[in-house]
Amino acid sequence: MSTSTTIVILGGTGDLAQRKLIPALYTLDVLGRLPASVSVVGFARAKLDDASYREHMWKGARELSGQPVERKAWDRFAKRLSYVRADLADPASFEALRARLKAIEDGAERADRIFYLAVSPSLFTPAIRGLGGAGLASEDTGWRRVVVEKPFGEDEASAAKLDDEVHAVFRESQVYRIDHYLGKETVQNLLVFRFANTIFEPVWNRNYVDNVQITVSETVTVGDRAGYYDGVGVIRDMVQNHLLQLLCLIAMEPPSSPDPEALRSKRVEVLEAVRRWSSEEYAKNAVAGQYDGYLEEKGVAQGSRTPTYAAMRLFIDNWRWQGVPFYLRSGKAMAGKRSEIAIHFKAPPLTLFAQPEGHVHAPNVLAMCVGPDEGFHLRFSSKVPDEGMLIEPEHMEFHYRTSYAGREIPEAYQRLLEDALTGDASLFIRGDQIKHAWSIVDPLLKRLADPASPKPEAYAAGSWGPAAADALLARDGFAWDSLCGHDD
Ligand code: BG6
């Protein structure tokens, strides 16, 4: 049966399309993993035609994607690209899209479509309404899927409203809410690490684990993204999505089947069990920061209280994790770029080997380095030769860059686009998970927005964040400890 599959990128000329989506599709094409039947339609405001759209995308892929792009292979790939000019508020644009789809799908016995919402969140609703209004979501000739970028809503109430809009046009099973962290190779490897090994499961609980630290730090400042970022801040940009997704993968119960829904349900159960802090309780369980110089960035509102850093302490009230603090932190303009989950194990119950005064015997840590230097580290204690019983920490390491030297680690979007094409929703976010994620952070957002509450604490650009974030752990007798970048 001849099939046509079209990916319509709403916001098809934007940064995401240029940097990530089109380059990911190009790579899939080069790898021979993009079926010949796949076409891509850019749908955006810019005054372009097919030829100038292809050139615009070529430029983006070459200059912005950070991956090698070859002209010959590109020209082959670019034949799949076309462009329709759009005003998302104008039904005529969606009629034009319909006509273009009809032309592309002409002669195919089956015509499947993905609508990728790579537009600013304020345009999600008009985009969905436009698609529904023009009958583009009707599954008369094949399946229809909609991929929605983050942030999905700006709090629980607005996410519920957006869900209603989406569900007026698409069934939940057609909705692919994306969080690119789930497409990262090492994030998927967390699942393999936990569920394809037997030795870790017995210690993966409150009996052995002292605390868990999740760090997603970036060295970049907001740069030219202040227009977006200043209205969003680190909680909506990183914590509600990327950090809570990492928390789910590290804390979830093993699913009992490979069914995508089983995996998704287990992730949701973690968020259900996260203890909800009130705005007042967040005063003791969260720290917000803003890097020095943020207020001078172009596009930042005068006196902005937007946090560029946040740290928080969460608890998961279930049998596995009761009483184990999970510390999360994320920030811009920090001392190092790393995404890392560190499981800190309890100290041995008895000290057999007396250590010199002031010498700290560091307990075991298992660190999962999600990026940029992907791998795992296990810190363990070892005897220093010929110095009595002096103990020093050593590291057992696995890194992709050494174990798979010369092999490219695929971009997250590559995997996620492939999954959306094949209809595997395991690595996408279900509506109920979004709702729970917002309900965890909403009281903190409320607190931060309250002019009566303290402003975010200043921290020096290039540091590890405000001192209060260290105090958050020190109060419990812990300290932030980053293993993945231990040699930087
Ligand atoms: C995005 C955020 O979702 O993730 C950005 O909007 C952030 O602000 C980016 O820089 C970080 O992603 P990665 O893959 O570089 O860790």
Side-chain angles (χ1 to χ4, degrees):
M1 184 162 72
S2 67
T3 305
S4 146
T5 307
T6 308
I7 305 173
V8 179
I9 307 180
L10 295 92
T13 53
D15 206 54
L16 181 69
Q18 273 198 308
R19 270 178 208 275
K20 301 285 183 191
L21 304 180
I22 295 289
L25 290 167
Y26 163 82
T27 306
L28 288 173
D29 188 36
V30 170
L31 295 172
R33 302 222 300 250
L34 198 64
S37 57
V38 173
S39 312
V40 181
V41 177
F43 190 59
R45 281 176 82 95
K47 235 183 182 172
L48 299 174
D49 57 16
D50 291 350
S52 48
Y53 181 61
R54 289 176 186 146
E55 270 320 288
H56 183 64
M57 289 295 126
W58 157 251
K59 219 166 153 240
R62 273 192 41 129
E63 292 169 14
L64 307 174
S65 73
Q67 68 179 59
V69 189
E70 265 188 38
R71 187 77 220 196
K72 242 176 143 181
W74 173 268
D75 287 342
R76 265 196 314 272
F77 164 72
K79 293 200 183 97
R80 299 173 185 266
L81 304 182
S82 63
Y83 186 74
V84 175
R85 212 178 149 204
D87 171 355
L88 295 184
D90 183 2
S93 295
F94 290 90
E95 286 308 324
L97 176 61
R98 198 147 79 112
R100 176 62 61 91
L101 287 170
K102 217 167 153 240
I104 291 172
E105 293 162 352
D106 188 35
E109 290 164 77
R110 183 192 165 92
D112 301 323
R113 299 174 191 160
I114 292 182
F115 299 103
Y116 197 119
L117 267 52
V119 287
S120 124
S122 61
L123 296 174
F124 288 165
T125 296
I128 294 283
R129 287 186 186 166
L131 293 170
L136 290 167
S138 119
E139 296 194 297
D140 46 352
T141 55
W143 51 252
R144 308 287 178 255
R145 294 177 190 142
V146 63
V147 180
V148 190
E149 266 295 332
K150 69 161 252 282
F152 194 92
E154 54 184 39
D155 54 22
E156 191 179 349
S158 58
K161 235 169 115 190
L162 179 57
D163 247 352
D164 290 344
E165 291 282 351
V166 172
H167 290 151
V169 178
F170 295 98
R171 294 185 309 282
E172 176 61 23
S173 60
Q174 294 173 279
V175 186
Y176 288 64
R177 295 176 196 78
I178 208 162
D179 181 320
H180 81 273
Y181 262 58
L182 290 181
K184 286 181 186 266
E185 193 69 25
T186 19
V187 173
Q188 295 160 56
N189 202 13
L190 290 181
L191 292 172
V192 172
F193 189 87
R194 287 198 56 199
F195 305 132
N197 291 299
T198 45
I199 60 170
F200 304 112
E201 175 56 21
V203 297
W204 213 261
N205 56 52
R206 63 193 298 275
N207 298 324
Y208 290 88
V209 176
D210 226 7
N211 71 90
V212 178
Q213 301 180 8
I214 303 181
T215 298
V216 179
S217 62
E218 298 182 274
T219 49
V220 292
T221 60
V222 294
D224 55 9
R225 291 176 77 221
Y228 152 78
Y229 192 89
D230 199 41
V232 175
V234 67
I235 310 286
R236 293 189 173 96
D237 189 47
M238 301 295 286
V239 178
Q240 186 269 350
N241 33 75
H242 305 327
L243 276 91
L244 289 182
Q245 289 304 327
L246 294 180
L247 174 81
C248 288
L249 291 170
I250 216 66
M252 67 189 254
E253 295 300 316
S256 48
S257 90
D259 179 58
E261 282 316 310
L263 186 64
R264 282 158 47 120
S265 297
K266 292 297 175 196
R267 298 207 304 265
V268 176
E269 279 170 22
V270 174
L271 294 190
E272 275 173 337
V274 168
R275 190 179 306 165
R276 290 337 188 233
W277 296 131
S278 64
S279 293
E280 296 70 39
E281 286 167 324
Y282 263 123
K284 284 211 184 104
N285 288 290
V287 171
Q290 190 183 74
Y291 64 82
D292 287 333
Y294 176 73
L295 294 176
E296 283 78 60
E297 300 273 18
K298 202 168 145 242
V300 169
Q302 210 186 0
S304 166
R305 296 169 62 106
T306 299
T308 60
Y309 174 97
M312 61 176 72
R313 181 175 80 142
L314 296 177
F315 287 99
I316 300 173
D317 288 329
N318 62 17
W319 274 58
R320 187 186 285 270
W321 295 117
Q322 183 64 43
V324 177
F326 284 74
Y327 302 103
L328 278 55
R329 65 173 167 169
S330 181
K332 300 252 184 233
M334 293 184 67
K337 166 144 177 97
R338 75 191 53 136
S339 303
E340 164 180 347
I341 304 167
I343 319 274
H344 289 242
F345 290 93
K346 292 187 192 256
L350 188 67
T351 311
L352 284 180
F353 313 107
Q355 297 297 297
E357 183 128 353
H359 187 84
V360 181
H361 174 188
N364 297 125
V365 175
L366 176 65
M368 297 151 144
C369 314
V370 171
D373 185 8
E374 296 86 349
F376 296 119
H377 285 226
L378 177 65
R379 183 171 79 191
F380 61 101
S381 297
S382 180
K383 183 182 169 309
V384 178
D386 204 23
E387 290 204 31
M389 285 310 230
L390 184 67
I391 295 174
E392 285 290 357
E394 293 295 344
H395 294 245
M396 274 200 256
E397 295 182 27
F398 150 74
H399 278 274
Y400 280 59
R401 75 177 138 84
T402 43
S403 297
Y404 298 102
R407 257 181 90 165
E408 284 292 322
I409 297 184
E411 270 283 333
Y413 279 98
Q414 210 173 296
R415 167 68 193 255
L416 294 172
L417 281 163
E418 248 185 330
D419 284 0
L421 279 165
T422 53
D424 181 348
S426 333
L427 299 176
F428 291 84
I429 321 289
R430 219 165 57 191
D432 50 349
Q433 198 180 10
I434 295 266
K435 173 176 148 359
H436 288 303
W438 280 123
S439 80
I440 292 166
V441 299
D442 269 2
L444 177 57
L445 288 167
K446 203 171 130 216
R447 178 181 158 73
L448 292 170
D450 180 356
S453 65
K455 282 188 182 168
E457 263 190 61
Y459 63 96
S463 73
W464 279 109
D470 296 335
L472 183 72
L473 274 70
R475 221 174 52 200
D476 298 339
F478 303 127
W480 294 107
D481 197 356
S482 175
L483 252 63
C484 295
H486 78 104
D487 46 20
D488 68 8

